[in-house]
Amino acid sequence: MDTAHTTDPDQGHPRRWAALAALCTSLVVVTIDNTVLNTALPALATALHASTADLQWINNAYTLVFAAMLITAGSLGSRIGQRRALVGGLTVFAAGSAIAATAGSAGELTALRAVMGLGAAFVMPATLSVIVTLFTARERPKAIAVWSATAGIGIVIGPVTGGLLLDHFSWSSVFWINVPLVAAALAAVLVLVPALPGRRVGRIDTLGLLLSASGLAALVDVIVRGPEHGWLSGRSVAEGAAAVLLLAAFARWELRTAHPMVDVRMFAVRTFTVAGIILAMTFFALSGLLFVLTQYLQLVHGYSPLKAGLGAVPFALAMAATAGTSALVTARIGTRNAIAGGLATMSLGLAGLSLAGVGTPYAVLSLAMAVIGAGMGLIMAPASTATVGALPREKAPMASSINSVVRELGGVLGIAVVGTVVSASYRHHLGAALPDAPARAGNDLTSAHIVAGHLPPQAAGRLVGAADQAFTTAMNSGTWVCAAITLVGAVTALICLDRSGAGAPPGAPQAEAAHSPEAGLPVTTGR
């Protein structure tokens, strides 16, 4: 029986809450993998004789394919059914992970990470799209709040799990662990998530698929490798121009074809676009911060991978707590105020963290991280709800894909920009404090510690002290960038998000109207 059509519009699908547990389990699996690998990079460098460039590609191959294929995955998922897309994505992800655990070279592992990114691209948008289908407008904010809180759980489980595994097993364990996790997620999905039908409208938009995938791949690649090649280098400018042209050609084609993969006119809906931009800004700040904070905890404070992973616990717990209650907060003060308040809270926490010194106690760092996590928890569910709620329900798969795309682009841009700021600031302050420092020590903090290991004790102490101070100062500069971005996001939310929904409880008439035929965009029928 077609379960999507037998869902009671006033009560939702009978198995909706059990299905939500299965969807959140799938989300945790992918979120863990995004964070657990960072703890294994030093072990990978030793076991596979991987260079710094190799490690970057092992990390970036996943991101590149994941971001490039999100729109395609969302489109195919809407055709074949979101549960099938979810099951297929999890299966590909697990297979890639199992083979990656046996990789014998950095190149082989890079290719398998790309396979894992392909599988994850089908998982992420499917989970949110199924939630939109199974839940009524009144319950949807609560369900998305739980979904968002799950991301916080994944953020803390990943580094801690990685640290525990690496304390007892080899680097391959961070890939093997995905197999039983995916098996549990698959079993839960097959038993609890109803078999939602797809919507086969016309033939597959092959040209749109190729243009979107290649355009997003070029865009992500130029962002990721901009710091390496130089933002204004010929290669970066050429690749950036190619990305713009490919995505512009994609938008033009989608407006002209009779069966578009994406109705690009959805970006004319202000709430959808502004909420997407806010999500990108949020993940810009989060990813940029975590990129430098991990190095700060492990190298400046000397924490082990496990202890550094535990450093994310205050952030994750605070995020999970506020995300889980964000539906109640939104019902009281409105979506616009909740999002703006969350961004302002994040900015406050980031500003506090930017005052950290070389010897700042863990308790102080934990407090700042908890404030940042609490702010992010207030943003995630309302902003995600706004993106999918601003459009008719039949556009939920694509809205979910765009939601994932903007988050991923914001994250990679945050790492690239904050990384560039921190790198330049580190070199400047180290050179000013220690003009005679070995050239290699100016590359990064890891190199400085390696160089110090080959120096006499007194010279090593001077170099490590100067390098740690230079990096901490540089981290503070990068954190200020993140604080400024989130503050701009708060102002953007207050100015640009629609006032009409402020204070309205979930499921009020204006919320339901977002899914009425009159509120939706007309279906493109060709030009």
Side-chain angles (χ1 to χ4, degrees):
M1 180 177 289
D2 188 341
T3 56
H5 291 288
T6 59
T7 298
D8 189 325
D10 296 320
Q11 297 182 0
H13 194 278
R15 295 206 309 269
R16 61 194 181 280
W17 291 106
L20 178 62
L23 297 172
C24 289
T25 302
S26 303
L27 179 64
V28 165
V29 171
V30 178
T31 306
I32 286 176
D33 183 77
N34 277 336
T35 55
V36 73
L37 181 67
N38 291 330
T39 62
L41 291 179
L44 284 172
T46 302
L48 300 182
H49 306 290
S51 65
T52 300
D54 291 331
L55 294 177
Q56 289 175 331
W57 270 112
I58 290 171
N59 203 22
N60 294 338
Y62 179 100
T63 301
L64 188 67
V65 175
F66 176 70
M69 293 302 295
L70 276 169
I71 291 179
T72 299
S75 176
L76 293 177
S78 66
R79 296 177 67 90
I80 66 175
Q82 294 301 329
R83 192 180 79 160
R84 289 180 179 175
L86 181 57
V87 169
L90 286 170
T91 302
V92 171
F93 180 86
S97 188
I99 301 174
T102 65
S105 67
E108 185 179 349
L109 183 57
T110 298
L112 291 165
R113 285 284 293 166
V115 172
M116 294 172 65
L118 175 63
F122 282 84
V123 173
M124 290 290 285
T127 57
L128 184 56
S129 179
V130 172
I131 290 173
V132 174
T133 302
L134 297 184
F135 287 85
T136 65
R138 183 175 296 277
E139 289 184 329
R140 197 172 299 127
K142 296 178 183 178
I144 295 179
V146 174
W147 179 82
S148 300
T150 302
I153 296 172
I155 288 172
V156 64
I157 290 178
V160 174
T161 301
L164 285 171
L165 289 172
L166 293 171
D167 278 350
H168 298 90
F169 306 103
S170 71
W171 63 268
S172 63
S173 61
V174 302
F175 294 102
W176 282 123
I177 191 63
N178 289 328
V179 177
L181 291 176
V182 170
L186 276 173
V189 168
L190 291 172
V191 172
L192 300 174
V193 177
L196 303 173
R199 298 179 69 249
R200 299 178 182 272
V201 181
R203 60 181 180 274
I204 295 177
D205 182 11
T206 305
L207 181 57
L209 186 155
L210 294 174
L211 288 172
S212 67
S214 57
L216 285 171
L219 180 60
V220 172
D221 190 60
V222 75
I223 292 173
V224 168
R225 304 180 72 181
E228 175 187 351
H229 297 297
W231 291 104
L232 298 179
S233 67
R235 176 170 181 164
S236 294
V237 171
E239 191 171 19
V244 171
L245 290 174
L246 286 167
L247 292 174
F250 168 70
R252 181 175 176 80
W253 169 254
E254 295 301 288
L255 286 170
R256 296 173 62 88
T257 184
H259 303 290
M261 185 169 70
V262 178
D263 188 348
V264 295
R265 290 174 295 173
M266 69 174 64
F267 292 101
V269 179
R270 185 175 65 177
T271 299
F272 173 80
T273 300
V274 173
I277 292 172
I278 286 172
L279 283 171
M281 298 172 84
T282 302
F283 276 83
F284 177 106
L286 175 65
S287 299
L289 170 65
L290 294 181
F291 175 73
V292 294
L293 186 66
T294 301
Q295 299 175 69
Y296 171 76
L297 293 176
Q298 291 195 29
L299 297 176
V300 177
H301 278 265
Y303 291 171
S304 66
L306 175 58
K307 191 173 181 180
L310 290 171
V313 170
F315 169 89
L317 292 179
M319 177 185 168
T322 54
T325 58
S326 61
L328 297 176
V329 174
T330 303
R332 181 172 295 275
I333 66 176
T335 298
R336 181 186 63 175
N337 293 333
I339 292 174
L343 285 162
T345 302
M346 274 191 77
S347 185
L348 178 64
L350 288 162
L353 192 61
S354 70
L355 302 177
V358 171
T360 300
Y362 174 77
V364 176
L365 299 174
S366 297
L367 178 61
M369 289 299 293
V371 173
I372 296 168
M376 187 168 180
L378 285 176
I379 301 163
M380 288 299 299
S384 297
T385 301
T387 58
V388 297
L391 302 172
R393 182 177 295 189
E394 63 268 17
K395 295 186 183 296
M398 192 46 57
S400 302
S401 295
I402 299 297
N403 179 290
S404 298
V405 167
V406 296
R407 287 165 54 171
E408 193 68 19
L409 289 178
V412 296
L413 187 60
I415 292 174
V417 172
V418 173
T420 299
V421 170
V422 170
S423 179
S425 179
Y426 168 77
R427 287 194 298 269
H428 169 74
H429 286 97
L430 181 61
L434 206 62
D436 59 343
R440 185 185 175 191
N443 292 340
D444 50 58
L445 184 57
T446 301
S447 298
H449 279 238
I450 292 174
V451 170
H454 296 85
L455 296 176
Q458 185 175 0
R462 289 178 60 237
L463 176 58
V464 169
D468 286 353
Q469 182 60 59
F471 182 84
T472 302
T473 303
M475 180 188 75
N476 293 342
S477 298
T479 307
W480 271 116
V481 172
C482 296
I485 288 292
T486 50
L487 185 59
V488 170
V491 175
T492 301
L494 288 173
I495 294 175
C496 298
L497 285 179
D498 192 357
R499 296 171 183 243
S500 62
Q510 59 264 39
E512 294 285 1
H515 295 284
S516 69
E518 293 78 15
L521 297 170
V523 177
T524 303
T525 57
R527 296 170 187 255

